[in-house]
Amino acid sequence: MGNNMNRHLVMLAALCVAATAANAEGLPERIKSAGKVVVANQANYPPMEYKDPATNKLMGLDIDLGLALAKQLGTTVEWSDIGFEQMVSSLTTGRVDLIHSGMSDLPTRRDTLDFVDYMKSGAQFYTSFARKDEFKKPTDFCGKIVGMSRRTSFPDETAKWSAANCEAKGLPAVKVVGTEGSADARAQLKQGRVDGAVQGSETLPYLLSLEKDTYTVVGEPFTAVYQGIGFAKKDTELRDAYAAALKALMASGEYKTIFAKYGLEGAMLDGIYVNAQAVK
């Protein structure tokens, strides 16, 4: 009985080792030997990444997905809290292995990065709940002061939208104000220093549930982009391993479970996209 049990345990352990080895097969040697991926992330973009105010624990969709992907690959995650502006240089100099931090997969970023896309996003106008009757549609922001994080693509995208939807129709331009982040834009909105704000459509349902009757969304997102996990151009092995892991999470249903937890099923992708191109 004892010998049979021992043999069974040995076989089980061997199967577990084999499964982990199979999962880790696509990983670069440096990741296998380190037993971890170092991931750039800045926890200031709820519900994608944030710290629980009570426990200071790292939470969010990106965190849950990042941990699930690493587990699928048979490795662990070391989160590296790095300012958004420093993330690309940290990746290209090898301080981190990848970026997973609410980053948009933009053509301008593909000169230095490859992206494995994992969700849809878009720039979204919103204003304070008290001014909801004043701003019924996006063009009501023509000639108004609108705040948004200067670290993002939103200032450029809003200026382009304004050129096509305000100036081209003889209306005054949106006055774009770059802020120190989306939290700063919201603070300025509450203080009445800006008339409206722009941030990622995926963050607003969380924001509206957190602060009832504080903000109101105006119109639909005015851009359509993918959010992606960023890899150094030369790191194709790690990129492809992550794409395969994401495909496995989609097939198992875990991908959907993570998005449903944050009420973001509408932001899910229907397959694997690298640099915004569908791949088999």
Side-chain angles (χ1 to χ4, degrees), residues 23-69:
N23 287 348
E25 206 170 280
L27 290 174
E29 202 50 56
R30 73 175 196 279
I31 307 286
K32 288 185 204 171
S33 54
K36 66 181 181 184
V37 278
V38 182
V39 180
N41 180 277
Q42 192 174 34
N44 65 355
Y45 197 52
M48 304 308 293
E49 41 264 318
Y50 60 104
K51 286 187 177 168
D52 184 322
T55 63
N56 215 33
K57 185 186 172 195
L58 204 51
M59 303 176 71
L61 188 149
D62 280 345
I63 307 306
D64 290 355
L65 185 60
L67 293 172
L69 287 164

Side-chain angles (χ1 to χ4, degrees), residues 60-69 249 253-265 268:
L61 188 149
D62 280 345
I63 307 306
D64 290 355
L65 185 60
L67 293 172
L69 287 164
L249 293 186
E254 192 171 355
Y255 171 79
K256 185 176 181 179
T257 300
I258 291 168
F259 276 75
K261 177 180 172 182
Y262 297 94
L264 288 173
E265 297 99 313
M268 295 192 312

Side-chain angles (χ1 to χ4, degrees), residues 31-32 66 98 106 116-117 121 166 192 202 225 230 232 256 268:
I31 307 286
K32 288 185 204 171
L98 57 98
L106 302 174
V116 172
D117 303 321
S121 176
C166 299
E202 73 278 6
V225 293
K256 185 176 181 179
M268 295 192 312

